[in-house]
Amino acid sequence: MDARSVMTDKLVTVCPDASLLCAIDLMLDHGLSALPVVDTDGRAIGVLSETDLLCRAELETGAVSNDFWSKLSHQKSAAAFVRLHGRRVRDVMTAQVCSVLPEATMAEIVGLMREHDMRRLYVVENGNLAGVVSERDVMKALRDILGKPEVALSDEAILAQLRGQLSEARWAPQDVHAEVQDGAVIWHGVARDEEDIAALKAMAQNIPGVKSVKDNLFLLSPGTGYARPETGTSE
């Protein structure tokens, strides 16, 4: 799964010389939290987001420093004045565009989103804006995967998968094993804590054909030995 397969390619864009009023109308009319800013060649040169519009003189939500040091950093103060008072998109937009290629994997996309605290990434192909991948697009992709019909495995195949995953999971407790009866997974052995139990249940629930999961696990209590719930829990 790559950026091309999940991106939205029907984009609403704005030019840098458009008025802020026009840009805000576009965002509100289309239910968008950001607009890509493109030049006459279709290249993305910036992004205008809701965050860019939070600090404005009209809202009395921002001010330009007027102390002694502002004279020594006049460029910074002048730029802040433009962002507070400018009426064109270019005055307020964020010039940096966080983008990916159409071949970017889902892992790369989500990694960049988390690294830069971004809700969307723009997809650029041959220098031109081709689409956008938002958190909502990622969620839609996850929905499609979760909703895809799966062929139920036999008890033997379920058990084989569990054994394989246990052998590869370095976090997994060593003294556990599973049995499978008519699609019901039952865990036996010793778990170190409730997180172990939750993870083992998730491991089983993710296998097609599993109908329920029950644990007959002992909990390892430091300093006191084993503790056993009165009855194992099941889901």
Side-chain angles (χ1 to χ4, degrees), residues 169-194:
R170 299 186 65 179
W171 58 263
Q174 294 183 352
D175 299 324
V176 296
H177 66 277
E179 64 174 305
V180 184
Q181 300 175 358
D182 297 325
V185 174
I186 306 172
W187 287 107
H188 300 278
V190 180
R192 295 159 297 190
D193 45 42
E194 294 291 345

PDB file of all heavy atoms in Angstrom, residues 169-194:
ATOM      1  N   ALA A 169       8.069 -13.237  18.776  1.00  0.00           N
ATOM      2  CA  ALA A 169       7.808 -12.078  19.634  1.00  0.00           C
ATOM      3  C   ALA A 169       8.744 -12.095  20.839  1.00  0.00           C
ATOM      4  O   ALA A 169       8.571 -12.893  21.766  1.00  0.00           O
ATOM      5  CB  ALA A 169       6.349 -12.081  20.086  1.00  0.00           C
ATOM      6  N   ARG A 170       9.739 -11.221  20.837  1.00  0.00           N
ATOM      7  CA  ARG A 170      10.717 -11.210  21.924  1.00  0.00           C
ATOM      8  C   ARG A 170      10.105 -10.742  23.237  1.00  0.00           C
ATOM      9  O   ARG A 170      10.626 -11.034  24.312  1.00  0.00           O
ATOM     10  CB  ARG A 170      11.896 -10.311  21.535  1.00  0.00           C
ATOM     11  CG  ARG A 170      12.631 -10.779  20.285  1.00  0.00           C
ATOM     12  CD  ARG A 170      13.858  -9.960  20.003  1.00  0.00           C
ATOM     13  NE  ARG A 170      14.861 -10.108  21.052  1.00  0.00           N
ATOM     14  CZ  ARG A 170      16.042  -9.515  21.031  1.00  0.00           C
ATOM     15  NH1 ARG A 170      16.360  -8.713  20.004  1.00  0.00           N
ATOM     16  NH2 ARG A 170      16.906  -9.684  22.008  1.00  0.00           N
ATOM     17  N   TRP A 171       9.001 -10.001  23.165  1.00  0.00           N
ATOM     18  CA  TRP A 171       8.348  -9.526  24.386  1.00  0.00           C
ATOM     19  C   TRP A 171       7.529 -10.605  25.075  1.00  0.00           C
ATOM     20  O   TRP A 171       7.163 -10.477  26.246  1.00  0.00           O
ATOM     21  CB  TRP A 171       7.405  -8.361  24.053  1.00  0.00           C
ATOM     22  CG  TRP A 171       6.352  -8.724  23.030  1.00  0.00           C
ATOM     23  CD1 TRP A 171       6.406  -8.476  21.688  1.00  0.00           C
ATOM     24  CD2 TRP A 171       5.132  -9.426  23.258  1.00  0.00           C
ATOM     25  NE1 TRP A 171       5.291  -8.971  21.065  1.00  0.00           N
ATOM     26  CE2 TRP A 171       4.482  -9.557  21.999  1.00  0.00           C
ATOM     27  CE3 TRP A 171       4.497  -9.951  24.377  1.00  0.00           C
ATOM     28  CZ2 TRP A 171       3.253 -10.197  21.850  1.00  0.00           C
ATOM     29  CZ3 TRP A 171       3.281 -10.588  24.229  1.00  0.00           C
ATOM     30  CH2 TRP A 171       2.666 -10.712  22.984  1.00  0.00           C
ATOM     31  N   ALA A 172       7.186 -11.658  24.349  1.00  0.00           N
ATOM     32  CA  ALA A 172       6.220 -12.636  24.846  1.00  0.00           C
ATOM     33  C   ALA A 172       6.784 -13.420  26.035  1.00  0.00           C
ATOM     34  O   ALA A 172       7.978 -13.741  26.078  1.00  0.00           O
ATOM     35  CB  ALA A 172       5.832 -13.600  23.735  1.00  0.00           C
ATOM     36  N   PRO A 173       5.936 -13.742  27.022  1.00  0.00           N
ATOM     37  CA  PRO A 173       6.383 -14.584  28.138  1.00  0.00           C
ATOM     38  C   PRO A 173       6.757 -15.970  27.626  1.00  0.00           C
ATOM     39  O   PRO A 173       6.169 -16.482  26.672  1.00  0.00           O
ATOM     40  CB  PRO A 173       5.157 -14.632  29.063  1.00  0.00           C
ATOM     41  CG  PRO A 173       3.998 -14.325  28.168  1.00  0.00           C
ATOM     42  CD  PRO A 173       4.511 -13.372  27.139  1.00  0.00           C
ATOM     43  N   GLN A 174       7.739 -16.578  28.261  1.00  0.00           N
ATOM     44  CA  GLN A 174       8.258 -17.849  27.758  1.00  0.00           C
ATOM     45  C   GLN A 174       7.398 -19.041  28.180  1.00  0.00           C
ATOM     46  O   GLN A 174       7.288 -20.019  27.439  1.00  0.00           O
ATOM     47  CB  GLN A 174       9.687 -18.050  28.268  1.00  0.00           C
ATOM     48  CG  GLN A 174      10.679 -17.031  27.698  1.00  0.00           C
ATOM     49  CD  GLN A 174      12.098 -17.295  28.150  1.00  0.00           C
ATOM     50  OE1 GLN A 174      12.344 -18.146  29.003  1.00  0.00           O
ATOM     51  NE2 GLN A 174      13.040 -16.563  27.585  1.00  0.00           N
ATOM     52  N   ASP A 175       6.807 -18.960  29.351  1.00  0.00           N
ATOM     53  CA  ASP A 175       6.104 -20.126  29.896  1.00  0.00           C
ATOM     54  C   ASP A 175       4.617 -20.082  29.585  1.00  0.00           C
ATOM     55  O   ASP A 175       3.770 -20.154  30.482  1.00  0.00           O
ATOM     56  CB  ASP A 175       6.329 -20.200  31.408  1.00  0.00           C
ATOM     57  CG  ASP A 175       7.802 -20.346  31.758  1.00  0.00           C
ATOM     58  OD1 ASP A 175       8.506 -21.029  30.992  1.00  0.00           O
ATOM     59  OD2 ASP A 175       8.233 -19.775  32.769  1.00  0.00           O
ATOM     60  N   VAL A 176       4.265 -19.931  28.313  1.00  0.00           N
ATOM     61  CA  VAL A 176       2.861 -19.957  27.919  1.00  0.00           C
ATOM     62  C   VAL A 176       2.694 -20.871  26.710  1.00  0.00           C
ATOM     63  O   VAL A 176       3.622 -21.046  25.913  1.00  0.00           O
ATOM     64  CB  VAL A 176       2.315 -18.543  27.576  1.00  0.00           C
ATOM     65  CG1 VAL A 176       2.335 -17.634  28.788  1.00  0.00           C
ATOM     66  CG2 VAL A 176       3.089 -17.930  26.416  1.00  0.00           C
ATOM     67  N   HIS A 177       1.527 -21.434  26.592  1.00  0.00           N
ATOM     68  CA  HIS A 177       1.186 -22.204  25.401  1.00  0.00           C
ATOM     69  C   HIS A 177      -0.325 -22.131  25.212  1.00  0.00           C
ATOM     70  O   HIS A 177      -1.062 -21.760  26.129  1.00  0.00           O
ATOM     71  CB  HIS A 177       1.646 -23.655  25.521  1.00  0.00           C
ATOM     72  CG  HIS A 177       0.946 -24.429  26.594  1.00  0.00           C
ATOM     73  ND1 HIS A 177       1.333 -24.382  27.912  1.00  0.00           N
ATOM     74  CD2 HIS A 177      -0.135 -25.253  26.553  1.00  0.00           C
ATOM     75  CE1 HIS A 177       0.538 -25.147  28.644  1.00  0.00           C
ATOM     76  NE2 HIS A 177      -0.365 -25.689  27.839  1.00  0.00           N
ATOM     77  N   ALA A 178      -0.766 -22.452  24.014  1.00  0.00           N
ATOM     78  CA  ALA A 178      -2.183 -22.330  23.683  1.00  0.00           C
ATOM     79  C   ALA A 178      -2.739 -23.667  23.227  1.00  0.00           C
ATOM     80  O   ALA A 178      -2.010 -24.526  22.715  1.00  0.00           O
ATOM     81  CB  ALA A 178      -2.392 -21.290  22.591  1.00  0.00           C
ATOM     82  N   GLU A 179      -4.029 -23.820  23.435  1.00  0.00           N
ATOM     83  CA  GLU A 179      -4.763 -24.909  22.811  1.00  0.00           C
ATOM     84  C   GLU A 179      -5.958 -24.307  22.079  1.00  0.00           C
ATOM     85  O   GLU A 179      -6.443 -23.230  22.457  1.00  0.00           O
ATOM     86  CB  GLU A 179      -5.231 -25.944  23.844  1.00  0.00           C
ATOM     87  CG  GLU A 179      -6.223 -25.409  24.863  1.00  0.00           C
ATOM     88  CD  GLU A 179      -6.754 -26.524  25.748  1.00  0.00           C
ATOM     89  OE1 GLU A 179      -7.275 -27.510  25.185  1.00  0.00           O
ATOM     90  OE2 GLU A 179      -6.665 -26.396  26.982  1.00  0.00           O
ATOM     91  N   VAL A 180      -6.406 -24.990  21.053  1.00  0.00           N
ATOM     92  CA  VAL A 180      -7.501 -24.467  20.231  1.00  0.00           C
ATOM     93  C   VAL A 180      -8.555 -25.562  20.091  1.00  0.00           C
ATOM     94  O   VAL A 180      -8.249 -26.686  19.690  1.00  0.00           O
ATOM     95  CB  VAL A 180      -7.008 -24.038  18.830  1.00  0.00           C
ATOM     96  CG1 VAL A 180      -8.152 -23.403  18.045  1.00  0.00           C
ATOM     97  CG2 VAL A 180      -5.831 -23.070  18.944  1.00  0.00           C
ATOM     98  N   GLN A 181      -9.789 -25.189  20.438  1.00  0.00           N
ATOM     99  CA  GLN A 181     -10.904 -26.134  20.344  1.00  0.00           C
ATOM    100  C   GLN A 181     -12.078 -25.461  19.641  1.00  0.00           C
ATOM    101  O   GLN A 181     -12.666 -24.518  20.182  1.00  0.00           O
ATOM    102  CB  GLN A 181     -11.339 -26.595  21.744  1.00  0.00           C
ATOM    103  CG  GLN A 181     -10.243 -27.302  22.531  1.00  0.00           C
ATOM    104  CD  GLN A 181     -10.687 -27.630  23.947  1.00  0.00           C
ATOM    105  OE1 GLN A 181     -11.792 -27.298  24.360  1.00  0.00           O
ATOM    106  NE2 GLN A 181      -9.801 -28.283  24.689  1.00  0.00           N
ATOM    107  N   ASP A 182     -12.369 -25.891  18.430  1.00  0.00           N
ATOM    108  CA  ASP A 182     -13.488 -25.326  17.655  1.00  0.00           C
ATOM    109  C   ASP A 182     -13.415 -23.804  17.558  1.00  0.00           C
ATOM    110  O   ASP A 182     -14.401 -23.099  17.736  1.00  0.00           O
ATOM    111  CB  ASP A 182     -14.829 -25.734  18.273  1.00  0.00           C
ATOM    112  CG  ASP A 182     -15.050 -27.231  18.240  1.00  0.00           C
ATOM    113  OD1 ASP A 182     -14.610 -27.863  17.250  1.00  0.00           O
ATOM    114  OD2 ASP A 182     -15.633 -27.772  19.199  1.00  0.00           O
ATOM    115  N   GLY A 183     -12.229 -23.285  17.286  1.00  0.00           N
ATOM    116  CA  GLY A 183     -12.040 -21.847  17.119  1.00  0.00           C
ATOM    117  C   GLY A 183     -11.851 -21.081  18.411  1.00  0.00           C
ATOM    118  O   GLY A 183     -11.619 -19.872  18.378  1.00  0.00           O
ATOM    119  N   ALA A 184     -11.947 -21.756  19.547  1.00  0.00           N
ATOM    120  CA  ALA A 184     -11.739 -21.101  20.843  1.00  0.00           C
ATOM    121  C   ALA A 184     -10.293 -21.302  21.280  1.00  0.00           C
ATOM    122  O   ALA A 184      -9.822 -22.438  21.391  1.00  0.00           O
ATOM    123  CB  ALA A 184     -12.692 -21.660  21.887  1.00  0.00           C
ATOM    124  N   VAL A 185      -9.586 -20.196  21.519  1.00  0.00           N
ATOM    125  CA  VAL A 185      -8.189 -20.250  21.953  1.00  0.00           C
ATOM    126  C   VAL A 185      -8.142 -20.166  23.476  1.00  0.00           C
ATOM    127  O   VAL A 185      -8.777 -19.282  24.073  1.00  0.00           O
ATOM    128  CB  VAL A 185      -7.366 -19.109  21.331  1.00  0.00           C
ATOM    129  CG1 VAL A 185      -5.948 -19.087  21.902  1.00  0.00           C
ATOM    130  CG2 VAL A 185      -7.321 -19.244  19.810  1.00  0.00           C
ATOM    131  N   ILE A 186      -7.405 -21.063  24.088  1.00  0.00           N
ATOM    132  CA  ILE A 186      -7.243 -21.060  25.544  1.00  0.00           C
ATOM    133  C   ILE A 186      -5.747 -20.984  25.851  1.00  0.00           C
ATOM    134  O   ILE A 186      -4.972 -21.836  25.405  1.00  0.00           O
ATOM    135  CB  ILE A 186      -7.840 -22.333  26.184  1.00  0.00           C
ATOM    136  CG1 ILE A 186      -9.294 -22.507  25.746  1.00  0.00           C
ATOM    137  CG2 ILE A 186      -7.739 -22.254  27.708  1.00  0.00           C
ATOM    138  CD1 ILE A 186      -9.901 -23.830  26.173  1.00  0.00           C
ATOM    139  N   TRP A 187      -5.371 -19.927  26.560  1.00  0.00           N
ATOM    140  CA  TRP A 187      -3.971 -19.748  26.927  1.00  0.00           C
ATOM    141  C   TRP A 187      -3.703 -20.392  28.280  1.00  0.00           C
ATOM    142  O   TRP A 187      -4.478 -20.243  29.223  1.00  0.00           O
ATOM    143  CB  TRP A 187      -3.617 -18.270  27.009  1.00  0.00           C
ATOM    144  CG  TRP A 187      -3.506 -17.578  25.677  1.00  0.00           C
ATOM    145  CD1 TRP A 187      -4.385 -16.697  25.132  1.00  0.00           C
ATOM    146  CD2 TRP A 187      -2.441 -17.709  24.751  1.00  0.00           C
ATOM    147  NE1 TRP A 187      -3.941 -16.269  23.908  1.00  0.00           N
ATOM    148  CE2 TRP A 187      -2.742 -16.880  23.643  1.00  0.00           C
ATOM    149  CE3 TRP A 187      -1.258 -18.451  24.727  1.00  0.00           C
ATOM    150  CZ2 TRP A 187      -1.905 -16.766  22.544  1.00  0.00           C
ATOM    151  CZ3 TRP A 187      -0.426 -18.340  23.628  1.00  0.00           C
ATOM    152  CH2 TRP A 187      -0.750 -17.506  22.544  1.00  0.00           C
ATOM    153  N   HIS A 188      -2.581 -21.084  28.383  1.00  0.00           N
ATOM    154  CA  HIS A 188      -2.143 -21.711  29.628  1.00  0.00           C
ATOM    155  C   HIS A 188      -0.718 -21.249  29.929  1.00  0.00           C
ATOM    156  O   HIS A 188       0.037 -20.879  29.034  1.00  0.00           O
ATOM    157  CB  HIS A 188      -2.152 -23.238  29.511  1.00  0.00           C
ATOM    158  CG  HIS A 188      -3.496 -23.819  29.203  1.00  0.00           C
ATOM    159  ND1 HIS A 188      -4.452 -24.037  30.163  1.00  0.00           N
ATOM    160  CD2 HIS A 188      -4.046 -24.222  28.026  1.00  0.00           C
ATOM    161  CE1 HIS A 188      -5.530 -24.568  29.603  1.00  0.00           C
ATOM    162  NE2 HIS A 188      -5.317 -24.676  28.298  1.00  0.00           N
ATOM    163  N   GLY A 189      -0.358 -21.294  31.201  1.00  0.00           N
ATOM    164  CA  GLY A 189       1.012 -20.980  31.582  1.00  0.00           C
ATOM    165  C   GLY A 189       1.091 -19.829  32.547  1.00  0.00           C
ATOM    166  O   GLY A 189       0.172 -19.569  33.326  1.00  0.00           O
ATOM    167  N   VAL A 190       2.208 -19.089  32.475  1.00  0.00           N
ATOM    168  CA  VAL A 190       2.498 -18.015  33.423  1.00  0.00           C
ATOM    169  C   VAL A 190       2.696 -16.707  32.677  1.00  0.00           C
ATOM    170  O   VAL A 190       3.535 -16.614  31.776  1.00  0.00           O
ATOM    171  CB  VAL A 190       3.766 -18.333  34.254  1.00  0.00           C
ATOM    172  CG1 VAL A 190       4.058 -17.200  35.232  1.00  0.00           C
ATOM    173  CG2 VAL A 190       3.591 -19.647  34.992  1.00  0.00           C
ATOM    174  N   ALA A 191       1.923 -15.690  33.059  1.00  0.00           N
ATOM    175  CA  ALA A 191       2.077 -14.340  32.521  1.00  0.00           C
ATOM    176  C   ALA A 191       2.697 -13.447  33.582  1.00  0.00           C
ATOM    177  O   ALA A 191       2.457 -13.627  34.777  1.00  0.00           O
ATOM    178  CB  ALA A 191       0.728 -13.779  32.089  1.00  0.00           C
ATOM    179  N   ARG A 192       3.486 -12.488  33.139  1.00  0.00           N
ATOM    180  CA  ARG A 192       4.155 -11.610  34.097  1.00  0.00           C
ATOM    181  C   ARG A 192       3.239 -10.521  34.634  1.00  0.00           C
ATOM    182  O   ARG A 192       3.390 -10.067  35.759  1.00  0.00           O
ATOM    183  CB  ARG A 192       5.384 -10.970  33.437  1.00  0.00           C
ATOM    184  CG  ARG A 192       6.463 -11.970  33.064  1.00  0.00           C
ATOM    185  CD  ARG A 192       7.392 -11.435  32.009  1.00  0.00           C
ATOM    186  NE  ARG A 192       6.698 -11.173  30.744  1.00  0.00           N
ATOM    187  CZ  ARG A 192       7.308 -10.881  29.601  1.00  0.00           C
ATOM    188  NH1 ARG A 192       8.623 -10.833  29.565  1.00  0.00           N
ATOM    189  NH2 ARG A 192       6.616 -10.657  28.509  1.00  0.00           N
ATOM    190  N   ASP A 193       2.281 -10.080  33.808  1.00  0.00           N
ATOM    191  CA  ASP A 193       1.400  -8.994  34.224  1.00  0.00           C
ATOM    192  C   ASP A 193       0.175  -8.965  33.306  1.00  0.00           C
ATOM    193  O   ASP A 193       0.045  -9.786  32.383  1.00  0.00           O
ATOM    194  CB  ASP A 193       2.130  -7.643  34.178  1.00  0.00           C
ATOM    195  CG  ASP A 193       2.947  -7.469  32.910  1.00  0.00           C
ATOM    196  OD1 ASP A 193       2.438  -7.832  31.825  1.00  0.00           O
ATOM    197  OD2 ASP A 193       4.085  -6.988  32.990  1.00  0.00           O
ATOM    198  N   GLU A 194      -0.713  -8.003  33.563  1.00  0.00           N
ATOM    199  CA  GLU A 194      -1.940  -7.893  32.773  1.00  0.00           C
ATOM    200  C   GLU A 194      -1.644  -7.501  31.331  1.00  0.00           C
ATOM    201  O   GLU A 194      -2.408  -7.844  30.425  1.00  0.00           O
ATOM    202  CB  GLU A 194      -2.881  -6.858  33.405  1.00  0.00           C
ATOM    203  CG  GLU A 194      -3.417  -7.240  34.778  1.00  0.00           C
ATOM    204  CD  GLU A 194      -4.391  -8.404  34.707  1.00  0.00           C
ATOM    205  OE1 GLU A 194      -4.872  -8.719  33.596  1.00  0.00           O
ATOM    206  OE2 GLU A 194      -4.667  -9.010  35.757  1.00  0.00           O
TER     207      GLU A 194
END
